[in-house]
């Protein structure tokens, strides 16, 4: 067991898979010689060489197109899109090509690609470098969507994503990069489509993702001081979605909250809320409540960004008021 | 705001000066191409022509729904490249992909059945005309949003480069594609990585309903952009299968040898409109007439006669192709509409479509 930062866990997880599969390659902007603009790929060029760790021009379509073409002809690929906001400039390849090719061709092609991308706010980067866009991907049939919140999950879910024969969008959270935690020794392979109960409770269920997980946990700790026992679920994987974990928890607590970093409309929590309303309505003792960023572009100034993203205070206050 | 009165006639493209085909280059007869290959290219052009004509007829009978983009008049490009490629090479096409799928060896019946939306279609009816794919023949897909597939062809070429095989990837696209960003990203990317890829622009002079020169900064929309990426701007008569085969073979050999990508602009013309819905009225009448006279297939027929192939042999080929197209039509018509069991298959590699437990 070693302590690893979330940042170092990215390279650690990629290296684990590149040692296992000599065909696996990675490409992206500044990932090689520079070690990544977020230093998430430090050391990989030295260990695996320039044929397997390839720097690219600022050409997101060319990056993901190359990833798809190599993958469909037998070479698994990890592709980095530096900021998840930039998915918008290569969205055709993601949403129309990678996601749909298997279905459209009657199952003739496989696209074993992992799109790694830095997601989320808290870095004061403003509206085009801070978005949480998991929901963009979640709504496209044919894409798997993962967002780890801990270093161990980065490693284990990276392995699961690389070994998955379908395209996976792997969201790494910028504001979690510096955090450290224990990562078990030896090969670590997790499973897509599995949520995790990260705090058990009996009064309400709080479903959270990525940066919102530690915030939900801190809010739960404060709620405990008020005598409210909150269960916190790290959703981890939006597609496939572990609905059984969510429904099972709601069956126990009878109250359901989501904590989402995305703007309000059509956030991932809306789908979860819909599932809970459809399938656990008679278990509920109160309305399903979504705690989200307001429906605005994210502002840059520290004070404004902090007002936008769901904070520990806002999670705590919302649950306390609505459960009372 | 301009006070000039617009002249509506300026936007009637059918009144513009015709863009005429080049004369047949009879010296292409002397290219060192084995006669057997030429006969094969003749047969392939016959297959493509007769298949597309039949596809058109089936549209008119309302047996084909949706849309379709035919390669009538453009067969020499697919035929020339079809012969120049090895079975383990990769092809990528646009929505105008029937010809490129067939040219790689896909059976006519399942392709026709796909156009009819039948269960025995090559994509089980789930892709349709615009997404024809036959991985077993190296035909890696028809991409209906132009541009992306140039970057994807790069990836197939990259895979070949990584494996150390000498396979080549070819991306076919229209003149309109040269004005989308992915075209430029793909050319630069292929050049810097020395990828074994050949980019083939089928310049049929019209970006859908608009003359390509109206919307392009340079006269040759592909070839003139090549030098910006260190690529020669190769222009070839896209109506002469020998000329196409010749430049295709050179570009493919260059890629196989590890000498990097090529960009070829094959100038050609579609005999019909852009798609099923388009009668092509925006084209000057004398232009259409001149290009119909420059039809690649009668020209090639004449060349083979000059090379000593008996008329009877060519007639026999036409006849046998007609039989194959007839058989394909019957095969397609005999297929059932896909059943509900196909609706939820093949979203994931595991076979199904489940997104939750």
């Amino acid at each position: 067991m070693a302590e690893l930062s979330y940042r170092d866990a990215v390279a650690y997880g990629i290296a684990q898979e590149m040692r296992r599969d000599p065909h696996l390659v990675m490409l992206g902007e500044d990932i090689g010689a520079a070690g990544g603009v977020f230093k998430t790929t430090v050391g990989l060029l030295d260990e695996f060489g320039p044929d397997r760790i390839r720097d690219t021009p600022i050409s997101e379509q060319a990056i993901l197109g190359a990833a798809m073409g190599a993958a469909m002809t037998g070479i698994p690929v990890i592709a980095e899109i530096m900021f998840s906001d930039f998915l918008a400039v290569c969205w055709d390849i993601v949403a129309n090509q990678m996601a749909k090719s298997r279905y459209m061709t009657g199952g003739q092609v496989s696209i074993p690609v992992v799109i790694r991308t830095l997601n989320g706010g808290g870095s004061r980067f403003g509206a085009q470098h801070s978005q949480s866009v998991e929901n963009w991907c979640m709504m496209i049939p044919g894409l798997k969507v993962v967002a780890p919140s801990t270093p161990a999950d980065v490693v284990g879910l990276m392995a699961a994503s690389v070994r998955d024969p379908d395209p996976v969008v792997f969201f790494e959270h910028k504001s979690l990069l510096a955090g450290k935690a224990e990562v078990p020794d030896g090969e670590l392979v997790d499973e897509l489509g599995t949520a995790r109960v990260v705090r058990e409770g009996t009064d309400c269920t709080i479903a959270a993702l990525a940066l919102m997980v530690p915030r939900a946990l801190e809010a739960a700790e404060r709620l405990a001081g008020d005598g409210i026992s909150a269960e916190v679920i790290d959703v981890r994987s939006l597609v496939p979605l572990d609905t059984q974990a969510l429904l099972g928890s709601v069956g126990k607590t009878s109250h359901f909250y989501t904590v989402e970093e995305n703007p309000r409309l059509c956030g991932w929590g809306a789908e979860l809320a819909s599932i809970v309303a459809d399938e656990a309505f008679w278990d509920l003792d109160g309305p399903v409540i979504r705690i989200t960023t307001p429906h605005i572009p994210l502002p840059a100034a520290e004070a404004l960004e902090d007002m936008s993203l769901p904070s520990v205070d806002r999670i705590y206050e919302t649950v306390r008021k609505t459960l009372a | 705001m301009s006070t000039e009165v617009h002249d509506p006639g300026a936007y009637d493209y059918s009144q513009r000066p015709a863009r005429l085909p080049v004369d047949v280059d009879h010296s292409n007869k002397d290219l060192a191409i084995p006669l057997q290959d030429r006969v094969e290219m003749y047969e392939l052009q016959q297959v493509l022509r007769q298949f597309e004509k039949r596809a058109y007829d089936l549209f008119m009978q309302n047996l084909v729904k949706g849309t379709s983009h035919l390669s009538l008049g453009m067969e020499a490009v697919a035929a020339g490249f079809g012969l120049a490629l090895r079975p383990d090479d990769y092809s990528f096409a646009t929505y105008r992909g029937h010809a490129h799928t067939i040219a790689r060896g896909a059976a006519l019946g399942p392709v026709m059945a796909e156009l009819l939306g039948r269960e025995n279609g090559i994509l089980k009816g789930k892709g349709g005309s615009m997404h024809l794919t036959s991985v077993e023949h190296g035909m890696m897909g028809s991409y209906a949003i132009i541009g992306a597939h140039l970057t994807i062809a790069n990836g197939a070429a990259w895979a070949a480069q990584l494996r150390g095989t000498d396979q080549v990837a070819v991306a076919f696209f229209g003149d309109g594609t040269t004005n989308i960003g992915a075209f430029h990203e793909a050319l630069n990317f292929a050049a810097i990585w020395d990828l074994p890829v050949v980019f083939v622009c089928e310049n049929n002079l019209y970006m859908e309903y608009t003359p390509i020169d109206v919307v392009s900064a340079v006269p040759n929309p592909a070839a003139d952009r090549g030098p910006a990426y260190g690529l020669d701007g190769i222009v070839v008569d896209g109506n002469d299968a020998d000329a196409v085969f010749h430049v295709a073979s050179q570009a493919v050999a260059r890629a196989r040898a590890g000498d990097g990508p090529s960009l070829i602009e094959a100038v050609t013309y579609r005999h019909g409109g852009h798609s099923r819905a388009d009668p092509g009225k925006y084209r000057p009448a004398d232009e259409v007439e001149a290009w119909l006279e420059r039809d690649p297939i009668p020209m090639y027929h004449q060349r083979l006669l000059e090379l000593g192939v008996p008329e009877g042999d060519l007639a026999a080929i036409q006849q046998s192709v007609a039989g194959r197209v007839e058989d394909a039509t019957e095969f397609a018509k005999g297929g059932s509409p896909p059943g509900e069991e196909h609706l939820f298959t093949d979203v994931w590699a595991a076979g199904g479509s489940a997104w939750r437990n």
Side-chain angles (χ1 to χ4, degrees):
Chain A
M1 190 84 93
E3 190 170 70
L4 216 55
S5 70
Y6 187 103
R7 182 192 319 276
D8 293 339
V10 174
Y12 182 90
I14 293 167
Q16 172 188 296
E17 291 307 297
M18 294 195 94
R19 286 179 203 127
R20 176 187 63 84
D21 182 354
H23 298 296
L24 179 62
V25 293
M26 182 163 75
L27 80 171
E29 297 157 13
D30 292 327
I31 63 162
V37 297
F38 291 100
K39 300 296 173 198
T40 49
T41 54
V42 171
L44 295 175
L45 177 65
D46 288 344
E47 180 173 353
F48 300 105
D51 282 349
R52 297 183 66 193
I53 304 291
R54 295 206 71 161
D55 281 323
T56 69
I58 300 177
S59 300
E60 279 81 8
Q61 295 179 87
I63 292 168
L64 293 190
M68 175 171 167
M72 68 197 284
T73 53
I75 302 281
V77 184
I78 301 173
E80 178 178 307
I81 296 298
M82 191 183 290
F83 286 81
S84 60
D85 317 68
F86 304 173
L87 286 171
V89 299
C90 48
W91 195 233
D92 177 44
I93 315 274
V94 180
N96 292 318
Q97 313 302 347
M98 286 190 188
K100 297 179 172 64
S101 283
R102 167 177 287 281
Y103 189 82
M104 292 195 304
T105 62
Q108 289 188 50
V109 299
S110 286
I111 319 281
V113 170
V114 178
I115 302 171
R116 294 180 38 240
T117 188
L118 274 295
N119 193 51
S123 301
R124 326 313 187 190
F125 287 162
Q128 296 179 346
H129 290 73
S130 305
Q131 295 174 84
S132 286
V133 302
E134 304 94 337
N135 56 336
W136 294 5
C137 299
M138 186 185 187
M139 66 177 72
I140 308 291
L143 296 179
K144 294 179 178 173
V145 185
V146 180
S149 72
T150 68
D153 279 1
V154 167
V155 178
L157 289 173
M158 180 75 73
S161 300
V162 167
R163 297 178 194 200
D164 194 282
D166 297 312
V168 179
V169 187
F170 190 94
F171 288 100
E172 297 159 12
H173 202 293
K174 295 191 284 287
S175 291
L176 291 172
L177 289 173
K180 290 187 174 180
E182 297 291 318
V183 174
D185 293 331
E187 188 183 70
L188 207 53
V189 186
D190 209 322
E191 194 181 344
L192 303 184
T194 54
R196 178 181 294 133
V197 176
V198 289
R199 180 189 175 105
E200 292 198 5
T202 52
D203 295 334
C204 67
T205 298
I206 304 176
L209 195 67
L211 178 65
M212 296 299 106
V213 174
R215 291 189 182 184
L217 282 170
E218 198 178 329
E221 185 63 32
R222 282 168 60 182
L223 288 164
D226 295 346
I228 295 171
S229 167
E231 179 146 299
V232 179
I233 294 182
D234 181 350
V235 179
R236 303 199 317 151
S237 172
L238 291 171
V239 182
L241 182 66
D242 189 354
T243 47
Q244 294 312 313
L246 299 163
L247 293 169
S249 178
V250 173
K252 182 171 68 170
T253 65
S254 302
H255 291 273
F256 187 62
Y257 297 83
T258 64
V259 187
E260 307 161 49
E261 198 178 326
N262 46 247
R264 181 80 190 178
L265 300 189
C266 303
W268 58 261
E271 188 57 49
L272 271 60
S274 161
I275 291 168
V276 167
D278 279 353
E279 300 174 35
F281 183 77
W282 302 109
D283 291 333
L284 289 169
D285 286 339
V288 171
I289 295 184
R290 295 175 57 212
I291 301 165
T292 74
T293 294
H295 206 65
I296 55 172
L298 264 191
E302 193 170 6
L304 292 175
E305 189 181 33
D306 286 345
M307 284 179 229
S308 305
L309 305 180
S311 63
V312 174
D313 283 346
R314 180 141 67 95
I315 301 165
Y316 165 75
E317 293 294 342
T318 304
V319 175
R320 197 178 56 82
K321 280 182 192 156
T322 53
L323 266 190
Chain B
M1 185 187 273
S2 166
T3 54
E4 273 179 49
V5 177
H6 284 291
D7 171 12
Y11 299 95
D12 179 356
Y13 298 130
S14 71
Q15 301 305 309
R16 300 173 82 236
R19 293 183 63 189
L20 300 175
V22 296
D23 291 336
V24 177
D25 183 350
H26 294 288
S27 71
N28 286 337
K29 189 172 72 175
D30 304 324
L31 289 169
I33 302 172
L35 191 59
Q36 192 188 333
D37 286 351
R38 285 180 148 134
V39 172
E40 262 188 70
M41 283 193 280
Y42 177 79
E43 179 172 358
L44 190 44
Q45 289 180 87
Q46 281 291 347
V47 170
L48 303 178
R49 173 65 54 91
Q50 294 192 35
F51 181 93
E52 294 286 59
K53 278 189 161 174
R54 178 59 55 88
Y56 182 78
D57 292 344
L58 295 172
F59 296 143
M60 300 317 277
Q61 296 167 29
N62 204 27
L63 282 168
V64 176
K65 316 291 181 183
T67 189
S68 181
H69 308 75
L70 305 178
S71 288
L72 288 170
M74 300 165 61
E75 296 89 348
V77 182
F81 270 89
L83 261 283
L85 293 177
R86 229 168 48 190
D88 63 341
D89 289 331
Y90 300 115
S91 295
F92 294 82
T94 65
Y95 47 74
R96 201 180 301 285
H98 304 178
H100 296 298
T101 306
I102 294 166
R104 293 306 307 278
L108 302 185
V111 175
M112 194 71 90
E114 188 63 30
L115 306 189
L116 268 62
R118 304 298 167 98
E119 190 174 23
N120 56 349
I122 194 165
L123 313 174
K124 301 174 188 165
K126 292 162 86 166
S129 163
M130 296 201 285
H131 297 293
L132 296 180
T133 303
S134 185
V135 169
E136 64 171 311
H137 296 100
M139 177 27 176
M140 301 307 292
S142 304
Y143 295 80
I145 302 173
I146 56 156
H149 70 299
L150 278 75
T151 70
I152 299 166
N154 276 346
W158 180 32
Q161 190 183 59
L162 284 164
R163 281 192 296 263
T165 58
D166 60 355
Q167 292 161 284
V168 173
V170 181
F172 300 96
F173 52 94
D175 40 278
T177 303
T178 64
N179 290 321
I180 201 165
F183 167 85
H184 298 270
E185 289 194 19
L187 261 59
N188 181 62
F189 199 90
I192 58 170
W193 287 17
D194 287 324
L195 294 176
V197 60
V198 182
F199 300 108
V200 185
C201 175
E202 298 178 274
N203 179 6
N204 62 27
L205 310 186
Y206 288 84
M207 175 217 92
E208 304 197 359
Y209 298 39
T210 303
I212 190 62
D213 60 289
V214 170
V215 292
S216 301
V218 287
N220 282 104
D224 290 348
R225 266 74 174 256
Y229 305 104
L231 302 174
D232 291 337
I234 301 166
V235 180
V236 66
D237 178 358
N239 279 18
D240 185 332
D242 285 338
V244 172
F245 177 81
H246 182 65
V247 296
S249 301
Q250 288 179 328
V252 167
R254 174 185 155 86
R256 271 204 222 298
D259 293 332
S262 298
L263 172 64
I264 294 166
E265 180 173 327
V267 182
T268 181
Y269 204 76
R270 37 171 163 81
H271 286 180
H274 167 70
S275 64
R276 181 190 189 188
D278 170 28
K281 296 285 190 201
Y282 40 80
R283 305 190 295 187
D286 53 341
E287 180 180 286
V288 175
E289 190 184 343
W291 280 92
L292 285 173
E293 280 173 21
R294 190 61 180 74
D295 187 327
I297 293 177
M299 186 278 286
Y300 207 63
H301 189 109
Q302 182 60 34
R303 179 170 297 159
L304 291 191
L305 292 179
E306 288 166 18
L307 286 164
V309 180
E311 173 70 46
D313 289 9
L314 298 179
I317 288 171
Q318 279 188 47
Q319 201 68 29
S320 100
V321 167
R324 289 171 59 194
V325 170
E326 196 55 45
D327 290 347
T329 307
E330 291 311 308
F331 175 84
K333 286 180 174 173
S336 313
E340 195 180 354
E341 69 273 18
H342 293 294
L343 199 54
F344 298 106
T345 58
D346 290 327
V347 173
W348 307 124
S353 65
W355 54 269
R356 55 170 286 184
N357 60 9

